[in-house]
Each structure stands twice: as structure tokens, then as C-alpha cells.
Amino acid sequence: MATKTVQFEIKRQANPDAPAVWERFELEWRPGMNVTTALMEIAANPVTADGRQTTPVTYESNCLEEVCGSCAMRINGKARMACSSLIDDLEQPIRLEPLSKFPLVRDLQVDRSVLFENLKAVKAWVPIDGTYDLGSGPRMLPQDQEESYPLSRCISCTCCMEVCPQFNEATGFVGAATIAQVKLFNNHPTGKVLKAERLQALSGDGGIQECGYAQNCVEACPKQLPLTNAISDVGRDVIVQKVRDLLRK
Ligand code: SF4
Ligand code: SF4
Ligand code: FES
């Protein structure tokens, strides 16, 4: 009986200035294979489908269970997580490309640090003094917990930014993930002490007004964050904050 195989086409680029080339790989099919396990096999034996020795494909991964957010790439043209993309669910040849909206490092690895800079800009954290034991934190009402928990599932994968028509150099838009984290930390009983600063950070160029509400983000999010709801809620809060700031002048 002929061995069942899996075909891949992978976009290779040795560095940001090198020309991009496509390489074909063929692996033996195994039950439960996903894109990351296939990339691991290619790294262990980097030989193309036509028998040519090549370099191991560079890609990022860590948790292998859709928690760390590092393995986002374009799989058959769609931004998604390699570790949770089962081979049996994908049309072949499976085409792997790096995310297109972020600076390329090599092959399938990109530099997603813009998201972390955006999160810093909006102070996406709960400010606490960690030098002494603060005891247990303030209690949250169950309904507030229910609203916050889905937002806390963000894995910083940047899929929502990759698919957003407004996330580009011209707008400098922060993207849906950052806005969702503003809502999460503004809802937090201790985090809300920085609420005004977070909303002010979203009110200028590249802020929330850049969103065209195309809703691509919510469809692409692997963790099903309620992104468009968060954008609506934070948009309203940004307007209220602007009015408050105007009245204070
Ligand atoms: S709603 Fe559209 S424009 Fe706004 S963040 Fe999502 S994809 Fe981007
Ligand atoms: S909001 Fe969703 S798509 Fe965007 S970074 Fe977080 S987990 Fe990824
Ligand atoms: S390896 Fe962590 S999300 Fe895929």
C-alpha cells in the first residue's frame, strides 16, 4: 500500500533583504499531525520534496497548545496558529507564509514587538506595589468577572492585527488586541486607577478612531475574544474621557 504523504509549500527568506523563494516538502502522514509538528520534522531533516538538502525552516513556537501566541503565521492564506492547525483539516499543498504586516526576521518568523509596545503605551497592567504583601485583592462581582474573563484569554498572537485593513503604517493604528486589553484593565477594580491615561492614549492618531469596524479581527481571533464589543465600549469611554478633559480645561 502506498504511504500517505502530506505536501507543503513554504515561503523561505534568509533575511529581510534576501529574495523570497518557495520550497516544497513532502512528509509521511501520521494521525494527529499539526503544522508545528510538521515543521519540527522538517527541521530535523531539512530536505525538499525533490531531494535537495536545504536549511531548517525558521519559525516560532513554545507552548504547542495555543497559549503562548508565538506560532501565528499564514496557513493557506489565513492568519492562524500553527500548533492548533491540524493537517487533516487543511487543503494540500499546505502553503505556509509569515504574517505580512510585521517586519520579517527569517522564513516564518516575524517581529511582533509592535503589539508589546502598544500594550506598554496604554499601560495594560494592574499597577501594584510588589515590595510588600498586599493581601488578597479587591473582590469582583461575578458579572464583572464574566465580562473580563474572555478578554483575559488574549495570547498576543497578532492575528487580529494581521487581518485588520486599518492596521498599517499609514494609520499607525494600535489594533484590536490593545483596545481589548484597555477594556480588561479598565474593568479591573485596581487597574481602573489608570483608566483615564489608557483612554487618553487611545484618543490620538493611531487610536481607536482609526477602526473602520470591518470586524475581520473578531473572525480571526483564535481565542474568540469579543473584540468588536470591546471596541464599541472603549470607543464610548474614549469620547466620555475627551469631554471630561475638555471641561477641565
Ligand atoms: S473592527 Fe475592523 S478595523 Fe476595527 S480593529 Fe477589527 S478588523 Fe480592524
Ligand atoms: S485579540 Fe485574539 S487575535 Fe488578537 S492578539 Fe489577542 S488572541 Fe490574538
Ligand atoms: S506554540 Fe504557543 S500558541 Fe502555538
Side-chain angles (χ1 to χ4, degrees), residues 4-8 25-30 33 38 87 92 94:
K4 199 170 157 189
T5 60
V6 190
Q7 314 289 325
F8 287 90
F25 295 88
E26 186 175 271
L27 301 181
E28 198 176 310
W29 177 89
R30 281 186 325 296
M33 251 178 140
I87 297 300
Q92 293 187 35
I94 299 167

Side-chain angles (χ1 to χ4, degrees), residues 87-155:
I87 297 300
D88 290 348
D89 296 340
L90 298 167
E91 204 175 293
Q92 293 187 35
I94 299 167
R95 284 170 74 85
L96 305 182
E97 298 168 76
L99 296 179
S100 64
K101 301 265 188 89
F102 302 85
L104 183 86
V105 176
R106 183 183 166 118
D107 295 336
L108 302 175
Q109 186 186 4
V110 296
D111 178 356
R112 295 173 299 121
S113 47
V114 62
L115 172 57
F116 304 103
E117 293 305 320
N118 291 345
L119 291 171
K120 277 196 262 174
V122 299
K123 298 185 174 15
W125 56 76
V126 174
I128 52 166
D129 183 346
T131 56
Y132 64 100
D133 183 5
L134 295 167
S136 50
R139 293 178 80 91
M140 276 179 90
L141 292 171
Q143 52 269 46
D144 292 339
Q145 291 172 14
E146 268 171 40
E147 202 180 2
S148 292
Y149 178 67
L151 299 167
S152 73
R153 287 165 44 93
C154 177
I155 57 174

Side-chain angles (χ1 to χ4, degrees), residues 198-235:
R198 294 195 191 99
L199 297 174
Q200 283 155 354
L202 285 181
S203 69
D205 285 347
I208 198 160
Q209 83 275 4
E210 309 289 354
C211 172
Y213 219 65
Q215 308 200 13
N216 299 7
C217 51
V218 77
E219 281 169 30
C221 177
K223 306 308 278 187
Q224 292 89 40
L225 263 76
L227 293 172
T228 42
N229 289 350
I231 292 167
S232 303
D233 292 349
V234 175

Side-chain angles (χ1 to χ4, degrees), residues 11-21 58 98 104-108:
K11 196 173 181 186
R12 308 291 312 270
Q13 201 169 339
N15 62 64
D17 302 319
V21 289
T58 300
L104 183 86
V105 176
R106 183 183 166 118
D107 295 336
L108 302 175

